[in-house]
Amino acid sequence: MKRFLFIIISIVIVLASCTQKAKKSSPEIAEFKAVFDNYDRVWVGRDFWAIPMEDWQIHDGRLECVGNRNNMRVNLLTFVLNEKAVGFNAGVRMGLLNSGETYSSAGLSIGVQDAEDPDVRAACYFGKGVKLGVTSSGELYIQKQKTTLPEGFDLTDFHLRVNAQPSGGQYTVIAVVTDKQNHSKSLSQTVNITPGLLAMFNDFPGKGDRGKGSHFWFDNFTVKGAKIDSKPENSFGPILWSMYTMSRNVLKLTAQMPPLGDRDDHNVRLLLKKRKDWEIIKESRIDPNARTVTFKLGNWDSEQEVQYRLVYSEKDTNGNVRESEYDGTIRRDPVDQDLTLGGLTCQYGTGFPYSPLVKHITAQNPDLLYFSGDQIYEGNGGYSIIRFPADMAILSYLGKWYMFGWAFGDLMRDRPTICTPDDHDVFQGNLWGEGGKNIPQKSFNIYHGTEGGYVEPAEMINVVHTTQCSHLPDPFDPALMEQNIIPIYMDLVYGRISFAIVSDRNFKSGPNAIAFWQGRQDHVKEKGVDPAVLDSPDLKMLGDRQLDFLDEWVRDWRGADMKVLLSQTVFANIATHHGGEQMVLAADLDSGGWPRTARNKALSIIRKGYVFHIVGDQHIPSLSQYGIDDYRDAGWCFCTPAIYVGYERRFQPERLGWEISDPPEHGLPNTGYYEDGFGNKQYVYAMGNPVDKPVKYPRYKKGQETASGYGLVEFDKAERNIVVHAYHFLADPDNPELDDEFAGWPYTLNQFDNDGRKAVGHLPKIEVKGIKNPVVFVDDEKTCELVHAVRILGTSYSAPVYSNDTFTVTVGDPDKALWKTITSLKPSTDEKIIKINF
């Protein structure tokens, strides 16, 4: 008996061992199922990404397509097809929501992959897969193969089931549809299936957005098989991303949320890590329009690096709660080291998710980011905008804005980010805001907005300003613009650099105030128009409010060694050729070179503070020095490359025979002294023109050839040097090459190069004791105007002046409110020294 029991036990052990081995050798089966019973909202959920977002909603316990466009789809992010040659199943319950007038189709797309970029985000927007499903005319199809559904098949409620098995390097796909009356039809086809996503779709193949096809709903979406991999790291939301700034010991942080439902929780918590524990600091409510939540914390200890966590409790209609966390780092203020700023602008959606560029700038690890505008374009995502009503315009904007955060969120979560909107962000190709006034839609369609103002509803404009700027320091003057539009100009001090953040289009006058020619009022096509007729002292660029701000800012040196102006575009017109057709313009009133008088007012203020200017917008990188009365008598400006160029520009005056002279020592073409069509004098040091005929695809190579890329600016506070870099789109941190930068870059200039006026003399030298690197103000006693204000390097300074008037010099430490003043000083050639002791 014992021997018999031993034999039985041995057999059981062997069988168990074989079973374990079989389990180990058999493919792991992944399974996913989505039902839409527990939510009622636009946002589908963290496992999915809908395109266009506003064309989908969860309603009545199912996912509904409510848009009127082609290729509307909902991508499954977190369960993807792998490279294994094994089978899988997928299925979905679906039905007609309403019948349309034109042909349409709906179903599943499998193996959705972008041929150029393996990133899941690229697959969502550019991926192609095997499409199968039903048509509104009563057919079942796989790709181009079709079969007619049985007579009486009920399209209002049916199941679509898919089985795919490997077959000779391809896959045999069997699609079966069955309605509630058990009418059924199947279709089989052998196709290529690549690793990639699965998606539900509703196609309206009508031209543009004018299709009037049938809308479908979806539910009980399932995928299962050894070819399915679980990828929870691909999820996006519900906390989509965050942006923060820290200035003068005040932290402001904004979390971006998706469009949640009325019954969802509408609060987000901010936690900070104290030693080893997380402490709840604050809970704030989500803005119902912008879908943001902003936290403001005063008395921030800027000397410490702090880990933060955003927490959101996602509650379904049954009361179930799923907590979501989003972690990041608040960096310490780098007051004791050089500061590096990454400059980015203009992200046309064809280059999404900009993987080579993001990889490179992440490797360079800048301390601070500046996105100077056009974080979205109207066509981003492959679909057009919705202008009205306000709630739909907001959703249309958010769907494109979320692409920005999806691409750059990981870069922004652990470093301060400055972000300012430009014209395309508010759905206008060009913007002359005139202080916030409204443009009627009919007038906008005729005059392209040149009468000045905003065409979109004010609620939508404020959503743009809130999503992009609510994490910035509070506005200098919070008084609302016309239509109660939020102003977005302020200053920020970080790493002992003082940044003025302004909007060079929000208050700008419209061109129709001076245009006398036929055609577009913002385009001067003929060379030789008298610049005087294009100008008027009444025209605005930055507007009075922002000029008043700059007047105060150039005198405010608290906690700062150097000053930088951040705005959207160059204060000059240094593009000659516009668009892929290379249209030639003698003057473009959308540029910052117009209006000239208003432009000169701004430059006259900022040169008093030796201010360096960083901008974007132009789709062509440039490094130049401004001129007001003469060449090079004002500051320098760096226009960063566009992240991805959609509309090409070029600066090629030599090609047109237009005068440009005295090139820099590098001898690059189209550089030197140039006077634009408005009479602005500009010293063009470097220009990153695109190639003459860029390729159309692959799209990343097109980005390289159209002069896409980004800028990097290094501030050496010890020497007060500014090193300017301009990198190509395909620059590779792992394989650096000499041509990773545009020709003419890098370039080093000094802080004091940003006032190019020629001095008529110098005031007596002052020597300061008791304060290191004091601040010096020089005021003209005759005109009562500031000559310049600067934190000097060292303890001695002989101030340059530009007239033979008498001057007042004020010296001190603004952080300790220590000041001493000397009056009635005149330019002197003797060696007299004035000693000032604190």
Side-chain angles (χ1 to χ4, degrees), residues 43 236-242 255-258 268-269 309-312 324-326:
W43 183 55
F236 188 39
I239 304 169
L240 300 176
W241 78 92
S242 65
Q256 182 66 62
M257 305 296 290
V268 177
R269 300 187 297 280
R309 174 172 290 168
L310 296 162
V311 179
Y312 174 73
S324 297
E325 298 176 348
Y326 187 92

Side-chain angles (χ1 to χ4, degrees), residues 120-302:
V120 63
R121 297 166 296 183
C124 284
Y125 286 93
F126 302 102
K128 306 292 183 183
V130 175
K131 282 190 168 183
L132 52 90
V134 300
T135 69
S136 57
S137 54
E139 298 161 312
L140 171 66
Y141 75 97
I142 302 175
Q143 297 290 74
K144 295 183 179 180
Q145 184 175 336
K146 297 180 180 180
T147 184
T148 303
L149 295 174
E151 186 175 349
F153 189 90
D154 186 2
L155 280 175
T156 63
D157 191 346
F158 62 93
H159 280 89
L160 168 64
R161 296 181 177 87
V162 180
N163 177 269
Q165 299 297 329
S167 175
Q170 294 183 299
Y171 274 80
T172 298
V173 175
I174 301 174
V176 181
V177 288
T178 307
D179 69 7
K180 292 186 294 185
Q181 287 75 40
N182 284 326
H183 296 127
S184 184
K185 190 70 175 183
S186 65
L187 183 64
S188 175
Q189 187 175 353
T190 299
V191 295
N192 290 313
I193 296 179
T194 60
L197 307 181
L198 297 99
M200 296 168 279
F201 70 86
N202 197 165
D203 266 347
F204 283 21
K207 184 178 181 181
D209 295 345
R210 294 195 295 271
K212 298 180 180 180
S214 299
H215 296 96
F216 284 80
W217 56 264
F218 301 79
D219 199 6
N220 297 335
F221 177 43
T222 61
V223 294
K224 181 179 180 180
K227 195 171 178 62
I228 307 298
D229 282 348
S230 174
K231 296 286 185 179
E233 65 272 20
N234 288 350
S235 65
F236 188 39
I239 304 169
L240 300 176
W241 78 92
S242 65
M243 296 189 290
Y244 78 85
T245 59
M246 180 173 61
S247 179
R248 304 191 195 279
N249 299 110
V250 175
L251 173 74
K252 288 187 73 177
L253 184 149
T254 293
Q256 182 66 62
M257 305 296 290
L260 300 166
D262 292 339
R263 290 181 288 182
D264 286 307
D265 189 8
H266 292 275
N267 295 288
V268 177
R269 300 187 297 280
L270 173 65
L271 287 70
L272 300 178
K273 195 169 188 179
K274 304 292 183 69
R275 294 185 177 89
K276 295 183 179 180
D277 299 320
W278 288 97
E279 179 181 327
I280 298 176
I281 302 300
K282 201 170 185 180
E283 181 171 315
S284 295
R285 193 159 183 82
I286 301 169
D287 182 293
N289 285 336
R291 279 76 173 189
T292 56
V293 56
T294 300
F295 301 92
K296 180 180 178 181
L297 303 179
N299 300 315
W300 184 262
D301 184 0
S302 60

Side-chain angles (χ1 to χ4, degrees), residues 396-443:
S396 181
Y397 161 75
L398 288 175
K400 299 172 189 294
W401 168 242
Y402 292 156
M403 294 175 69
F404 161 76
W406 210 6
F408 293 99
D410 284 341
L411 193 62
M412 297 187 291
R413 73 164 75 211
D414 64 356
R415 75 202 71 218
T417 298
I418 300 170
C419 183
T420 57
D422 200 4
D423 43 12
H424 290 282
D425 296 292
V426 295
F427 292 176
Q428 291 186 219
N430 296 314
L431 175 64
W432 300 271
E434 294 212 349
K437 80 175 191 181
N438 174 254
I439 303 175
Q441 172 76 50
K442 183 177 180 180
S443 177

Side-chain angles (χ1 to χ4, degrees), residues 712-765:
L712 203 70
V713 183
E714 302 170 12
F715 295 95
D716 175 0
K717 291 170 288 187
E719 300 294 333
R720 303 292 177 84
N721 286 331
I722 303 168
V723 185
V724 187
H725 301 267
Y727 290 98
H728 287 289
F729 184 84
L730 291 178
D732 186 352
D734 297 329
N735 299 288
E737 300 289 343
L738 291 176
D739 62 352
D740 276 355
E741 293 203 52
F742 287 86
W745 283 271
Y747 180 74
T748 300
L749 61 117
N750 189 268
Q751 169 188 17
F752 293 94
D753 294 336
N754 287 298
D755 184 351
R757 290 175 287 180
K758 293 179 175 60
V760 301
H762 289 74
L763 300 181
K765 180 184 289 187

Side-chain angles (χ1 to χ4, degrees), residues 552-780:
E552 292 197 29
W553 172 72
V554 294
R555 285 184 174 270
D556 185 357
W557 287 83
R558 291 173 296 156
D561 296 324
M562 303 169 73
K563 283 188 174 287
V564 177
L565 174 65
L566 303 176
S567 75
Q568 287 67 57
T569 195
V570 188
F571 291 176
N573 187 185
I574 45 175
T576 55
H577 297 74
H578 297 250
E581 72 282 4
Q582 301 189 29
M583 172 183 61
V584 175
L585 292 181
D588 180 8
L589 280 76
D590 176 52
S591 75
W594 182 85
R596 183 186 177 193
T597 296
R599 171 256 195 194
N600 289 345
K601 285 182 182 179
L603 292 180
S604 296
I605 294 172
I606 64 173
R607 73 178 173 184
K608 297 175 184 179
Y610 299 99
V611 175
F612 182 59
H613 193 193
I614 303 175
V615 301
D617 173 68
Q618 287 297 298
H619 309 177
I620 174 174
S622 65
L623 182 62
S624 57
Q625 187 174 11
Y626 293 124
I628 300 175
D629 299 309
D630 198 1
Y631 288 106
R632 307 189 68 177
D633 66 359
W636 283 76
C637 178
F638 175 37
C639 179
T640 68
I643 294 170
Y644 193 90
V645 172
Y647 183 85
E648 299 167 30
R649 287 191 178 93
R650 291 168 171 79
F651 179 66
Q652 297 175 326
E654 293 177 359
R655 174 178 163 190
L656 297 169
W658 294 359
E659 184 176 356
I660 187 167
S661 63
D662 301 304
E665 290 183 0
H666 55 53
L668 293 171
N670 300 299
T671 59
Y673 290 160
Y674 175 74
E675 184 174 307
D676 68 23
F678 302 113
N680 301 309
K681 293 176 169 58
Q682 199 81 353
Y683 173 62
V684 181
Y685 178 82
M687 183 66 61
N689 281 310
V691 304
D692 193 47
K693 293 183 178 180
V695 298
K696 294 184 178 180
Y697 56 86
R699 55 196 179 92
Y700 284 171
K701 185 178 180 182
K702 179 182 179 182
Q704 178 82 356
E705 295 189 352
T706 54
S708 305
Y710 68 96
L712 203 70
V713 183
E714 302 170 12
F715 295 95
D716 175 0
K717 291 170 288 187
E719 300 294 333
R720 303 292 177 84
N721 286 331
I722 303 168
V723 185
V724 187
H725 301 267
Y727 290 98
H728 287 289
F729 184 84
L730 291 178
D732 186 352
D734 297 329
N735 299 288
E737 300 289 343
L738 291 176
D739 62 352
D740 276 355
E741 293 203 52
F742 287 86
W745 283 271
Y747 180 74
T748 300
L749 61 117
N750 189 268
Q751 169 188 17
F752 293 94
D753 294 336
N754 287 298
D755 184 351
R757 290 175 287 180
K758 293 179 175 60
V760 301
H762 289 74
L763 300 181
K765 180 184 289 187
I766 60 171
E767 289 188 352
V768 182
K769 187 175 181 179
I771 297 177
K772 181 182 179 182
N773 299 341
V775 171
V776 177
F777 299 140
V778 178
D779 288 278
D780 189 313

